[in-house]
Amino acid sequence: MGVSGRVAVVTGAASGQGRATSLRLAGEGALVAALDVDAGGLASLVDEISDTGVRCRGLEVDVSDAGAVAAAFAEIEADLGRAYVLAAAAAIYPPGVLSHLRDPDETARIFDVNLMGVVHCASAATRQMIEEGRGGRIILWSSIGAGAVIAGHAAYCAGKAGIEGLGRALAAELGPYGITVNTIAPGAIDTPMLSDTPPDPAYYEVLPAGRAGAPEEVAHLVSYLCSDASGFMTGAVLALDGGLSGVNGAVRPDV
Ligand SMILES: NC(=O)c1ccc[n+]([C@@H]2O[C@H](COP(=O)([O-])OP(=O)(O)OC[C@H]3O[C@@H](n4cnc5c(N)ncnc54)[C@H](O)[C@@H]3O)[C@@H](O)[C@H]2O)c1
């Protein structure tokens, strides 16, 4: 059965990896509830999916707002049904600023969106999954920044490290309900987030893959994690980074 006919809630759905995930899951017959703050991006996603004859609902929601998230999940349940999938991609990556110089309010905002936003969505989604009693699939987005240094992005890195801990703890708590929780830790992926803050060209020189990933490559992994075949995989942190996490600073041999 997979995701066909089931409700998939995707956050950060208006752009990049969330958008590719929404299109992928809709292509597999999921009823996609697309959450984002970007109304225009949501409208074009909903049009694109609706044109294929699959139902999709766009909800303009700031995931850091617990009340708005709860209201959105209530609306999703009433309109499409209870969530089976939560793919929580929404995040912000403000320009690099040394942490002792970054405005504390901006630091708090990064944690509110990137960490608490995921907590609010996971909390609302798991209530519905447990009530429905048919298990579920939760996919979280970390980053190579959780395990490697990205100077100037301390709050982003700390938030993403928090996501990895959250994912492992949720996997343990939700296993008895047949809900799996896995975290993807992408490297550079070709989305607006990357084009706004491009890495140094030297990054690609040491990267075994030698290029950025495509959002569709991430969506392919999400599709597997949502499938019935992935039931034994939970609590995992999956690097999808073109080999960066194995390089350890060594230069790619010129062979
Ligand atoms: N692109 C990369 O190189 C890269 C690398 C590592 C990790 N990531 C992670 O991948 C995930 C997806 O990012 P992306 O590359 O698709 O970036 P993106 O900027 O294309 O998409 C992020 C989406 O999140 C939305 N968003 C931002 N704040 C929000 C809020 N408060 N409420 C709801 N929606 C909000 C944005 O409007 C946007 O549509 C993020 O968690 C990001 O941290 C990205």
Side-chain angles (χ1 to χ4, degrees):
M1 164 161 195
V3 296
S4 181
R6 287 171 152 170
V7 177
V9 180
V10 183
T11 77
S15 176
Q17 299 169 64
R19 183 181 172 88
T21 293
S22 302
L23 291 167
R24 172 86 193 204
L25 297 181
E28 295 172 7
L31 309 173
V32 172
L35 274 56
D36 207 291
V37 285
D38 173 2
L42 279 178
S44 89
L45 174 75
V46 171
D47 283 351
E48 190 171 340
I49 292 177
S50 303
D51 283 350
T52 66
V54 178
R55 275 200 78 193
C56 174
R57 179 80 200 272
L59 296 111
E60 196 181 331
V61 178
D62 179 340
V63 293
S64 70
D65 180 339
V69 168
F73 272 82
E75 221 175 307
I76 291 163
E77 180 175 1
D79 192 18
L80 300 176
R82 293 189 181 118
Y84 176 71
V85 170
L86 169 66
I92 51 174
Y93 184 66
V97 177
L98 296 176
S99 53
H100 61 281
L101 300 176
R102 195 184 283 281
D103 174 357
D105 288 343
E106 198 191 0
T107 298
R109 178 69 188 153
I110 295 168
F111 288 142
D112 279 349
V113 175
N114 294 7
L115 187 53
M116 289 311 296
V118 176
V119 170
H120 301 323
C121 292
S123 166
T126 50
R127 277 169 212 270
Q128 293 190 2
M129 290 171 187
I130 290 168
E131 263 173 52
E132 186 70 12
R134 294 198 297 162
R137 295 284 187 260
I138 298 180
I139 294 91
L140 309 181
W141 265 257
S142 175
S143 162
I144 50 166
V149 174
I150 313 181
H153 294 277
Y156 179 83
C157 294
K160 291 302 189 181
I163 290 291
E164 295 188 3
L166 178 71
R168 280 188 286 263
L170 286 179
E173 292 179 12
L174 298 171
Y177 300 99
I179 300 168
T180 65
V181 185
N182 291 292
T183 302
I184 301 174
I189 307 294
D190 192 8
T191 70
M193 186 179 281
L194 186 72
S195 34
D196 288 350
T197 49
D200 188 293
Y203 175 88
Y204 295 110
E205 283 167 24
V206 298
L207 193 67
R211 64 169 176 87
E216 292 75 18
E217 291 176 300
V218 181
H220 194 80
L221 176 57
V222 177
S223 162
Y224 167 69
L225 294 173
C226 293
S227 71
D228 296 341
S230 71
F232 191 57
M233 177 170 280
T234 192
V237 177
L238 301 159
L240 190 58
D241 60 6
L244 186 77
S245 46
V247 166
N248 273 335
V251 176
R252 186 164 55 127
D254 191 13
V255 287

